[in-house]
Amino acid sequence: MDQHIAEAIGRPDLIRLDDRLVCLRFETMKTVSALAAVRHLLDTGAVRRGDTLLDSSSGIYAYALALACHRYGMRCHIVGSTTVDRTLCTQLAVLGATLERMEPCRDLKLDQKRRVERIHEILAEHPEYHWMRQYHDDVHYLGYREIADRIREAVGGAAGSATGLTVVGGVGSGASTGAFARYLRAEHTPAGAPADIELVGVQPYGSLTFGAEHVPDPEIIIAGIGSSIPFGNVAHELYDTLHWISFDAALAGSVDLLRRHAVFAGLSTGAAYLAARHERERAPERTVLFIAADTGHRYVDTVYARHREAAALADLAPREVTHQGQLTLPWSRMRWNRAAAAAAVSPRFAPPR
């Protein structure tokens, strides 16, 4: 029996959509990460019960950290972006978290920069606060180890078989996809060979994490899977393939996922589903698992209310590119080949080999 609601919220469902496509569906994925991170900090003496934990968030992590603080008797202070909606604001208030919302800003880079600047101002005023640094501290990898074990058991041995497993998910801070790749690849087949795990990252246009900051999306940058500032938790060398997916294409993926499979999930999940279907078609012998990080409730007005506008997935296909200078909307795909971070640059630099 769970001791706190956060443990139930963080436990994902594994849903087989067809014989080679699996959805790892979370109610709120980062709850897993925040719970394990806070527990580790307490166990190691880095923080004590009653301390204030501080971080910046576009929404999901704010809720996750508030739940973890509630679970372990901590105080929570969030510097949030304008994507923190009314429902979440109310939840955070009732949970006892302090939320500072930044002024509206359509420029993601400026929004993230202002939030980080505000974090430093708060730390100058309250040096006793602990900055969680969800984008830079790999303590946020820890919570995904147990889920990686569950994936290994549930996908019918694909992670350690000749057919292999492809994991697809939004890159974001790098913690979830990076952790799954590391933990799953650490295992070996019965013959002693490393597990055959491919990692496919999904990015929005405009994100600098893998060098697409020069291509804006006329709609919006999908919150949570990209960045306009460098993230220390992104291990570029873990990724085999990248997909850049626009808002409109992700909307089509979200709507199709609900219509075809009855899975109601967020916009980043629609993008991951789109990429996962493509990867499955390219390698039908492999099992493909994609991450659904949250439910679709935040996206009812911005995504699902526009379901009649959604393109048919049969009409969408990625443009295959060899470097970031070739990226075009609405969807591009590139082999990354586990290149180092230095390759994640603007198109004036050499592409990864």
Side-chain angles (χ1 to χ4, degrees):
M1 183 180 295
D2 294 319
Q3 301 302 308
H4 191 273
I5 186 63
E7 295 158 6
I9 289 173
R11 186 181 304 110
D13 303 306
L14 275 161
I15 306 165
R16 188 174 291 280
L17 304 187
D18 63 32
D19 61 340
R20 290 294 183 188
L21 186 63
V22 177
C23 176
L24 180 68
R25 178 197 173 276
F26 292 86
E27 182 173 340
T28 304
M29 181 180 69
K30 290 190 176 181
T31 303
V32 177
S33 178
L35 279 174
V38 174
R39 186 167 58 247
H40 177 79
L41 293 171
L42 285 166
D43 290 345
T44 58
V47 299
R48 295 177 297 179
R49 288 182 182 271
D51 284 355
T52 297
L53 305 184
L54 168 71
D55 216 338
S56 164
S57 173
S58 60
I60 295 177
Y61 187 78
Y63 182 49
L65 186 59
L67 286 172
C69 287
H70 189 278
R71 167 71 176 86
Y72 291 111
M74 316 291 289
R75 294 184 176 89
C76 180
H77 192 123
I78 297 292
V79 178
S81 73
T82 55
T83 56
V84 178
D85 60 25
R86 179 173 175 270
T87 299
L88 180 53
C89 286
T90 303
Q91 287 176 292
L92 294 176
V94 176
L95 285 169
T98 299
L99 171 66
E100 293 188 37
R101 292 183 73 186
M102 303 304 293
E103 292 297 320
C105 179
R106 291 186 59 83
D107 185 322
L108 178 63
K109 183 174 183 178
L110 180 58
D111 176 61
Q112 290 182 325
K113 181 174 180 289
R114 290 193 310 182
R115 281 190 276 142
V116 172
E117 288 174 347
R118 179 56 186 149
I119 290 285
H120 286 292
E121 290 174 357
I122 294 170
L123 289 172
E125 298 165 5
H126 299 279
E128 74 278 11
Y129 286 7
H130 181 88
W131 184 13
M132 292 297 294
R133 302 177 76 245
Q134 64 149 323
Y135 303 132
H136 305 292
D137 191 337
D138 64 5
V139 70
H140 292 92
Y141 277 50
L142 297 176
Y144 298 110
R145 181 189 294 275
E146 184 176 335
I147 298 171
D149 292 339
R150 186 177 167 204
I151 290 170
R152 191 180 301 107
E153 295 172 0
V155 296
S161 71
T163 60
L165 174 67
T166 299
V167 176
V168 181
V171 176
S173 70
S176 59
T177 48
F180 288 140
R182 284 184 176 171
Y183 294 142
L184 289 168
R185 287 172 182 166
E187 295 300 310
H188 293 76
T189 66
D196 180 8
I197 307 296
E198 291 261 324
L199 180 60
V200 177
V202 179
Q203 284 273 274
Y205 289 94
S207 172
L208 66 70
T209 307
F210 285 90
E213 66 272 23
H214 61 291
V215 185
D217 191 323
E219 282 274 0
I220 62 168
I221 292 180
I222 303 171
I225 67 170
S227 176
S228 65
I229 58 176
F231 285 170
N233 271 339
V234 177
H236 294 77
E237 67 278 6
L238 294 176
Y239 296 84
D240 297 284
T241 301
L242 268 296
H243 287 252
W244 288 267
I245 295 178
S246 71
F247 173 89
D248 287 339
L251 181 150
S254 297
V255 170
D256 188 89
L257 181 60
L258 178 57
R259 180 178 290 138
R260 190 186 304 261
H261 299 289
V263 176
F264 183 50
L267 189 60
S268 66
T269 301
Y273 168 66
L274 196 63
R277 283 172 52 93
H278 182 78
E279 295 300 322
R280 183 198 56 181
E281 291 166 5
R282 290 180 63 93
E285 76 283 359
R286 298 180 68 84
T287 296
V288 180
L289 177 146
F290 69 95
I291 300 169
D294 62 351
T295 66
H297 295 88
R298 290 200 301 159
Y299 303 92
V300 170
D301 294 330
T302 56
V303 174
Y304 289 99
R306 299 171 58 180
H307 63 91
R308 292 182 181 84
E309 304 172 25
L313 296 201
D315 297 333
L316 296 173
R319 178 187 182 187
E320 296 289 332
V321 303
T322 57
H323 62 85
Q324 295 97 326
Q326 298 173 333
L327 294 176
T328 57
L329 296 161
W331 183 7
S332 298
R333 178 185 184 273
M334 185 172 81
R335 286 292 296 174
W336 187 258
N337 297 322
R338 306 189 189 184
V345 295
S346 298
R348 64 182 181 274
F349 295 95
R353 290 184 174 85

